[in-house]
Amino acid sequence: MDEGTERLDALTRQAGRWLALAAAPAERHTTAVVAGPYDRVAWRDVHARSAALRELSAQLLTRHAHAPDLLRDVFLCAYQAAPRLRERADMAPSHLVHHQVVTALTQSPDFAALRRDTAGDAYAAAMAVLAQASALRGLLERSREARERTGRADRARQEAEAAATAVGEALRQAAEEADGQGDVPAPAAAAVRRAVEAARDAEESARREDGAAARAMAAAVPGIRSAARNAASAAAEAVRQEAALMRAWGVDPGETERMPFEERARLAERLRSGRLARWAELIGRFRQMAAGERARKVENATGELVGVTLGDDLSRVIPSELAVLGVPELRAVFAARYAAGELMLYDSRGEQGTGKGAVIACVDTSHSMYAEGPGGVTREAWSKACALALLDQARHAGRDFVGILFSASDKLQVFRFPGGRPAPVTDVLDFAETFLGGGTDFQRPLGTAAKILEEEFDSASRARGDIVLITDDACEVSENWTRLWNGIKRRLDFRLFGIAIATPGTATASGSVLESLCDNLRTVDDLTDVHTTADLFRVI
């Protein structure tokens, strides 16, 4: 071996560790949630469709280079039924903060409950991300030092891997210059030693940065956990509120899932910001009350059950009496009691059966309906909530529903909802949010309602419709109009129910216009009470 040369095998032993590091660099991921092809498509699609999501991503990107990766992880946490996180060791150090955020989210009870509403629903998962925008923005700001430290550690680790690769390249060059006995010229050997030294220094620097990053992460963890809990709570509350809003307005979950993203987003925004958005809870309570009253109806009976009586009507015999027939020895006793009219029967309070024609709600939208009652509930909110419950009632019975909004004689608007097809939620919102203003006139809305029932009778031979007049005022009607009204009412056999909202006693007193027109009239003073008209939903 000439002076200044070194053996190739000795150099290889010196470079061995760095060769292994260069040969198999660890795979580093920038996303914490494991995602399949379908999940990735869902994220790309919802990001492309949601302007709000793109705007949030762009805002965060101006100050936080990796923010879009975090948004994707938060979306997938909400979207996947059972999110699976990568091991920390598989993450790029620059994204370890994101891993900690996602870990804290998945461990939050609120977020676990949230996934029941968002799993598999890209729109709901995107809404959950947007609901956390403020918390995520604050979290990224507070964890800046930890992210900067982990970023340095990431760069130091990349430099160490590059230095290890340089060792491999220097050793390859030395091998090419070695002679047949494995002796390497001095310059090539020196290049290998320099590369090994540089790799050793880079590795030491990477260890120091890793330690600093670990300390910064440990200091940031409590704040990250707290912020993640707040973010999860905000998201869960936002999703709950929107789901409650949809339920209150009668929007079926299956209907929203079938909606295009943009249409669903517009609907949600309209529900949140519409005229009656404040009264969603009242609307929901009205609909629940009406559904409960429907459940109390007794099919094939003459009215509402009120107790037990004696008689011989076998269609109303109580179960315990029928059980006697199962005992041969007692059948003669049953026959004797039947002959004497002493069988125990369900007793009922007679009510006129439900109608077959259309259900028509004539809703007063004069200026006075702006007035607020107990709890800040406006007369308009109460009347519209009642009308929407009547819409449900009609649809449940397969009957047409017509909403007539009126005020002065020149202001009237008609909304038709045929019983044979679904009621589009946008049309329902148009009906609920329209307000005409002005004075009050009964003749035109009631005359319009009677004409609609007459057209229905002439075209489909359906009689016995129901008109519900909801007003807070009283006005006069002419004698000629009254004669015409009574005539068509007798011919079509419809009923007029009156609901007077917070009206003076004289408006509903005996002999008043309302009292003389209505078959059934009641006054509502407490606008927080949805049960005042409960009996109405048992007979309509």
Side-chain angles (χ1 to χ4, degrees), residues 267-346:
L267 173 60
E269 178 58 28
R270 184 175 180 184
L271 292 179
R272 283 192 295 268
S273 59
R275 183 181 184 87
L276 297 184
R278 289 175 57 197
W279 314 118
E281 190 269 340
L282 177 69
I283 293 169
R285 285 198 295 123
F286 246 111
R287 284 182 147 149
Q288 290 172 3
M289 179 272 292
E293 293 304 320
R294 282 196 298 271
R296 294 181 61 188
K297 286 187 177 182
V298 181
E299 298 296 332
N300 302 318
T302 57
E304 179 189 4
L305 293 177
V306 294
V308 175
T309 187
L310 299 179
D312 58 1
D313 186 349
L314 295 178
S315 68
R316 294 191 288 139
V317 175
I318 68 174
S320 61
E321 287 279 38
L322 293 175
V324 170
L325 293 174
V327 182
E329 294 82 358
L330 297 179
R331 289 174 183 169
V333 176
F334 180 91
R337 294 179 61 189
Y338 171 62
E342 294 179 351
L343 292 176
M344 287 190 291
L345 314 175
Y346 284 123

Side-chain angles (χ1 to χ4, degrees), residues 96-276:
L96 283 175
V97 169
H98 296 181
H99 189 280
Q100 184 62 51
V101 170
V102 173
T103 300
L105 282 176
T106 57
Q107 293 174 350
S108 166
D110 281 331
F111 210 82
L114 170 72
R115 280 200 298 272
R116 289 196 289 269
D117 293 317
T118 61
D121 187 337
Y123 170 85
M127 189 183 71
V129 175
L130 294 172
Q132 297 175 83
S134 178
L136 291 174
R137 189 178 289 110
L139 189 151
L140 288 171
E141 289 294 334
R142 287 191 294 272
S143 63
R144 180 181 292 277
E145 181 180 354
R147 287 185 295 106
E148 289 177 350
R149 283 292 186 182
T150 55
R152 291 176 194 170
D154 197 10
R155 291 190 293 274
R157 182 58 56 191
Q158 292 175 24
E159 290 170 2
E161 291 173 1
T165 301
V167 170
E169 178 60 27
L171 189 61
R172 185 192 61 78
Q173 186 66 35
E176 290 180 355
E177 296 183 19
D179 59 20
Q181 285 73 42
D183 294 330
V184 179
V192 172
R193 286 194 297 273
R194 287 195 300 273
V196 169
E197 186 63 29
R200 185 179 295 113
D201 292 343
E203 177 67 15
E204 180 60 30
S205 176
R207 279 198 295 268
R208 288 196 301 271
E209 291 296 344
D210 283 344
R215 290 189 292 274
M217 277 293 299
V221 163
I224 290 174
R225 287 176 178 166
S226 176
R229 283 195 298 270
N230 292 338
S233 178
E237 181 60 24
V239 171
R240 276 195 298 267
Q241 286 181 357
E242 181 162 311
L245 204 56
M246 293 288 186
R247 285 194 301 272
W249 283 95
V251 182
D252 185 81
E255 182 181 353
T256 56
E257 289 176 8
R258 292 189 297 271
M259 282 183 183
F261 186 93
E262 298 88 343
E263 182 181 345
R264 185 170 173 182
R266 287 194 298 269
L267 173 60
E269 178 58 28
R270 184 175 180 184
L271 292 179
R272 283 192 295 268
S273 59
R275 183 181 184 87
L276 297 184

